[in-house]
Amino acid sequence: MLSRLSGSLRRRLALILLPSLLILLLVSALAQYLLAVRPIQRELDRALSDVAIALADRIGVNESGDVTFELSDEAAALLDADALDYNWFAAFNERFKPIAGEPNIPWPAVKLTRGEPYFFDSVVNDRPVRAVAVMTACGVLDCGVVMAATVRKRGRLIRAAQLSALLPVALAGCVAFGLVWFGLGSGLRPLVRLSRELERRSPRELSSIRVADAPDEVQPLVEAVNRLMQQLSEASFAQQKFLATAAHQLRTPLAGLQSRIELAQLETRDPDSRIRLGEIHESAVRSARLAVQLLSLARAEPGASTGDARVVLDLAKLATELVDEWVPRAIANRIDLGFELAAAPVEGSPLLLREMMVNLLHNALEYTPSGGRVTLRTGLYEGGGFFAVEDNGPGIAPELREKVLERFMRLPGTRGTGSGLGLAIVAEIAEGHQARFELLDAPGGQGLLARVSFVSCAGT
């Protein structure tokens, strides 16, 4: 169904309206033409018949009973005074044989009535003519006169009438077509605005569109879109609520499980039991980490409401708060963890921005081998604040860097206990803050540089 309705709505409406308008204009032009041409034809025919009737009065019968025709030289000169057309006449006797005038003018082969002009088209001396025949009485018999004139003047007047009829219609048609096309574009502009409004929105913006701003015909569409937005918002909220609740409910028992395993490790003296308890403890830590990441993912998803308002903060100060927690972990893994911090004011959620740093640090420490180096930097980059985590570990091949941003994606053969959510969470949070998240080669040529760049500094 939708495939049959695809294409430009403006073009579809134009294909419906413009042919009808074209037909209307053609009918109007034809009507104007007929109304202009017929009076011209009648007037020219009337003038021709007046001359023919006047000539018919010149026919008479002499004492011998022969038909005669008398025309003065002055009258004959008047017949030839037309500058555009040739005028001919012929007088016919009772046998309708020419007795005066142009002998090549034919008498019409139809029955005529005395005194009633009969108009017809013919050819005289290889020239098309308009002719009129008038039959008159010659005593008790009938005779007549035919007056003929070439059609040059008549054609010129008709062409002028055509031009006067068609030119205004053509101009009106062009203007009407332009107005229809412009009117269709203007009438469809609310739909264009609606499409741009929906296009500029991010997946996080599911608020309703103002129905009052739309025309009456578009309001049902806007209301349908608003209902869809509401359903998406409710579905997103339900999903986030489930993830947050599940992650929260898992964290407490997992923390208790870790404590009990650690206590059991301290109390047992069997080396094999210690190894098995260590493996169980590692699984419990990984599960607890996964629960924390799921909770972070729920906060970072479009439409999430974390209760953590956006504020102006310094990324350098936020990174300083991680030193006490992450330096001991780096030392335990024999990794040199450095902090190169410069002021980087941004606007965002402290909780989510901290989660971004934690995930990048965790990934770097997880995959960098012992004896390696990890550095967290903050500062200004291209007019905005940034933070980056650089390591000299194995890095990620350029063709796989888009792939690792997918949820639960871990590259085959990688070491560590990650769940494949860390980089996906960073990408989600960066998108929610209109920041750019990049995975690049480390400046030294070995390792990975993960950088999050914000559009502009806070307060600028």
Side-chain angles (χ1 to χ4, degrees), residues 245-260 287-288 291-292:
T245 302
H248 181 74
Q249 294 296 327
L250 284 172
R251 282 201 304 174
T252 301
L254 287 174
L257 179 61
Q258 289 182 59
S259 300
R260 291 179 180 274
S287 298
V292 171

Side-chain angles (χ1 to χ4, degrees), residues 320-340:
T320 303
E321 298 172 359
L322 303 177
V323 173
D324 292 339
E325 178 183 357
W326 288 91
V327 167
R329 297 189 187 188
I331 293 174
N333 292 333
R334 298 177 57 199
I335 294 175
D336 179 14
L337 176 59
F339 290 82
E340 298 178 5

Side-chain angles (χ1 to χ4, degrees), residues 388-446:
V389 176
E390 177 190 340
D391 64 64
N392 62 349
I396 301 175
E399 63 272 15
L400 298 176
R401 290 173 185 171
E402 287 292 330
K403 192 73 174 176
V404 296
L405 299 183
E406 299 176 7
R407 297 180 183 184
F408 300 104
M409 176 63 194
R410 297 194 72 222
L411 298 179
T414 54
R415 57 188 292 275
T417 60
S419 59
L421 280 176
L423 294 179
I425 291 172
V426 174
E428 289 273 4
I429 298 174
E431 181 183 354
H433 285 75
Q434 289 80 49
R436 185 172 72 251
F437 176 42
E438 302 171 284
L439 297 176
L440 308 167
D441 292 326
Q446 179 182 356

Side-chain angles (χ1 to χ4, degrees), residues 350-378:
L351 183 65
L352 294 179
L353 294 180
R354 186 180 189 279
E355 187 64 29
M356 292 175 75
M357 291 185 180
V358 166
N359 276 283
L360 291 180
L361 279 175
H362 181 273
N363 272 15
L365 294 176
E366 186 78 10
Y367 297 107
T368 300
S370 296
R373 183 181 67 258
V374 174
T375 305
L376 190 152
R377 294 186 178 89
T378 64

Side-chain angles (χ1 to χ4, degrees), residues 243 246-248 250-251 254 286-296:
L243 286 174
H248 181 74
L250 284 172
R251 282 201 304 174
L254 287 174
R286 189 163 57 250
S287 298
R289 173 66 182 164
L290 178 60
V292 171
Q293 288 185 316
L294 286 174
L295 183 58
S296 299

